[in-house]
């Protein structure tokens, strides 16, 4: 397996996963979405709320705010030494106290640990007028996206197979496929159609060019063929800001490794030690 | 109030609401505002385009 990045910053990554298989590509995607833990507000104690929103709606809006997560400091509640009661090792606490008239923003949420501040400062929570007041205490815990989407670290996280475009010698450069391609992957060369440089990865495998070629009366088989490479995948991973994309990917890969090793152990237990670990 | 995140993909779109509303009310084309704000996908764009703010009508009924 190898990964080569075409773009990588804290919030978005585009990369090619090579020497892989359909099963692994999908496992990787699913692990990044559903198994990488982040912080999100889970419990809210409301002392005062006479705003126009119900307590439940307020708590729901607070839960959706992405929080900067430090996976080295926090552990999941059930794995914590406090035994699931809640301690500074597994919970981040926040206080919020605002009087109207003004709009309550995510920056009004004061974290006890400044490392766990909300990612954005300007998320509006509720609008208050004169004499309205919100006073509350919130507790954020680490959990995974499979439990609730608010713990999902990724936004758009998906992949497609690497496109393989072959143009055979029957191509007469009629240009019908060039006009048809919605992504502008093809261009008219001197004797046949050519792939525009650095545009190949934009191909969405829609095969409109094959249809256009057939419509041009070339016969039973088109002169252009779109195939997919089952060993290479183009990924896009976007983060909500709680974790940098690189950390999401690293955690997901370690998680897959751990899970497959656990599976080998279990199979060994059942079969009496005949399963060997596969090298990756 | 504007939803905190896009219903479909989960991108935080509420941070863009104040600017979007101001510029739309000033008569600018929503397309250019959304492009400026970096809201790319159509799931996120519909969140802002189709939002109707009713918090001011609700305030008397606290």
């Amino acid at each position: 397996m190898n990964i080569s990045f075409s773009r990588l910053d804290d919030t978005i990554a585009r990369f090619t996963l090579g020497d892989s298989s359909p099963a692994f590509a999908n496992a990787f995607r699913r692990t990044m979405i559903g198994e990488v833990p982040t912080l999100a507000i889970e419990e809210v104690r409301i002392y005062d709320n006479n705003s126009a929103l119900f307590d439940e709606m307020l708590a729901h809006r607070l839960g959706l705010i992405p929080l900067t997560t430090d996976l080295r400091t926090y552990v999941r509640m059930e794995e914590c030494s406090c035994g699931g009661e809640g301690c500074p090792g597994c919970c981040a606490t926040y206080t919020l106290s605002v009087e109207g008239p003004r709009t309550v923003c995510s920056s009004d949420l004061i974290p006890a640990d400044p490392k766990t501040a909300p990612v954005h400062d300007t998320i509006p929570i509720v609008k208050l007028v004169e004499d309205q007041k919100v006073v509350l205490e919130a507790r954020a815990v680490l959990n995974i996206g499979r439990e609730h989407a608010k713990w999902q670290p990724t936004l758009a996280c998906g992949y497609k197979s690497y496109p393989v475009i072959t143009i055979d010698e029957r191509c007469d450069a009629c240009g019908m496929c060039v006009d048809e391609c919605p992504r502008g992957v093809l261009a008219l060369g001197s004797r046949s159609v050519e792939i525009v440089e650095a545009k190949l990865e934009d191909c969405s495998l829609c095969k409109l060019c094959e249809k256009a070629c057939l419509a041009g009366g070339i016969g039973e088989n088109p002169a252009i063929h779109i195939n997919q490479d089952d060993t290479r995948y183009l990924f896009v991973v976007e983060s909500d800001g709680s974790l940098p994309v690189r950390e999401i990917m690293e955690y997901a890969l370690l998680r897959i490794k751990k899970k497959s090793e656990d599976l080998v152990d279990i199979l060994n237990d059942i079969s009496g030690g005949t399963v060997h670990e596969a090298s990756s | 109030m504007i939803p905190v995140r896009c219903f479909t993909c989960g991108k935080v779109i509420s941070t863009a609401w104040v600017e979007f509303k101001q510029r739309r009310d000033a008569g600018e084309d929503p397309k250019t505002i959304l492009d400026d704000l970096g809201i790319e996908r159509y799931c996120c764009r519909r969140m802002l385009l189709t939002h109707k703010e009713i918090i001011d009508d609700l305030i008397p009924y606290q």
Side-chain angles (χ1 to χ4, degrees):
Chain A
M1 191 189 82
N2 61 63
I3 288 174
S4 62
F5 288 97
S6 58
R7 180 176 173 193
L8 174 68
D9 52 48
D10 275 357
T11 53
I12 184 163
R14 284 168 188 280
F15 60 90
T16 313
L17 175 74
D19 283 342
S20 188
S21 63
F24 184 80
N26 196 37
F28 189 28
R29 179 189 67 87
R30 288 187 55 144
T31 317
M32 283 192 286
I33 297 172
E35 305 252 348
V36 180
T38 57
L39 279 174
I41 290 175
E42 171 69 352
E43 269 178 39
V44 182
R45 182 170 294 179
I46 294 171
Y47 295 110
D48 207 346
N49 170 29
N50 55 4
S51 71
L53 293 191
F54 294 118
D55 293 356
E56 291 88 337
M57 282 177 79
L58 210 58
H60 175 247
R61 291 181 69 85
L62 289 169
L64 291 175
I65 297 172
L67 306 169
T68 319
T69 308
D70 183 2
L71 290 177
R72 278 171 294 278
T73 319
Y74 292 92
V75 291
R76 287 182 61 185
M77 229 172 178
E78 57 263 32
E79 293 157 11
C80 184
S81 53
C82 69
E85 279 174 24
C87 69
C90 59
C91 295
T93 50
Y94 301 82
T95 50
L96 186 146
S97 167
V98 180
E99 277 179 55
R102 75 180 178 95
T103 302
V104 185
C105 276
S106 50
S107 57
D108 296 317
L109 206 57
I110 314 292
D113 176 2
K115 275 192 308 209
T116 61
V119 175
H120 307 277
D121 280 341
T122 52
I123 300 172
I125 297 166
V126 62
K127 187 176 171 187
L128 301 178
V129 291
E130 195 75 43
D131 295 331
Q132 287 187 335
K133 199 173 163 189
V134 174
V135 181
L136 56 85
E137 223 175 71
R139 197 166 81 162
V141 297
L142 214 59
N143 212 332
I144 55 172
R146 226 167 38 179
E147 201 65 42
H148 189 288
K150 70 181 173 184
W151 283 298
Q152 228 172 259
T154 54
L155 306 174
C157 177
Y159 64 89
K160 67 176 178 195
S161 301
Y162 206 91
V164 180
I165 304 177
T166 38
I167 300 158
D168 63 29
E169 68 283 351
R170 289 182 301 138
C171 177
D172 54 4
C174 69
M176 302 247 312
C177 54
V178 179
D179 296 337
E180 198 67 38
C181 181
R183 299 280 176 102
V185 177
L186 303 169
L188 215 51
S190 52
R191 292 179 57 208
S192 72
V193 168
E194 286 165 1
I195 300 158
V196 182
E197 207 174 322
K199 275 282 199 176
L200 175 62
E201 292 186 0
D202 288 354
C203 173
S204 67
L205 306 162
C206 67
K207 302 195 178 186
L208 281 174
C209 48
E210 284 187 5
K211 284 193 190 123
C213 193
L214 285 176
I218 194 124
E220 291 275 299
N221 279 314
I224 183 165
H225 289 275
I226 307 293
N227 289 305
Q228 29 187 292
D229 185 345
D230 276 342
T231 62
R232 284 203 290 171
Y233 296 88
L234 286 163
F235 270 81
V236 178
V237 183
E238 230 175 275
S239 158
D240 68 355
S242 51
L243 287 168
V245 181
R246 202 188 172 92
E247 208 174 321
I248 297 174
M249 290 171 61
E250 280 167 2
Y251 191 97
L253 289 171
L254 286 173
R255 182 83 192 141
I256 296 176
K257 195 171 174 213
K258 168 90 175 39
K259 278 192 140 180
S260 12
E261 280 167 6
D262 287 353
L263 180 67
V264 171
D265 286 346
I266 291 168
L267 289 176
N268 269 331
D269 273 354
I270 298 168
S271 66
T274 50
V275 183
H276 298 291
E277 272 185 44
S279 59
S280 63
Chain B
M1 298 296 296
I2 178 89
V4 176
R5 292 180 183 233
C6 167
F7 291 150
T8 306
C9 72
K11 184 182 168 78
V12 176
I13 42 94
S14 51
T15 48
W17 171 247
V18 177
E19 190 182 338
F20 177 79
K21 186 171 181 294
Q22 254 170 21
R23 289 170 65 178
R24 185 199 58 192
D25 292 348
E28 208 176 318
D29 181 12
K31 178 182 182 291
T32 50
I33 312 173
L34 290 167
D35 288 344
D36 266 9
L37 291 169
I39 294 169
E40 228 171 77
R41 287 182 285 276
Y42 62 67
C43 60
C44 308
R45 290 167 86 95
R46 61 94 204 253
M47 295 299 292
L48 291 166
L49 281 172
T50 60
H51 179 65
K52 173 86 171 75
E53 193 76 301
I54 53 164
I55 186 86
D56 294 311
D57 306 330
L58 287 175
I59 275 171
Y61 313 102
Q62 45 179 272

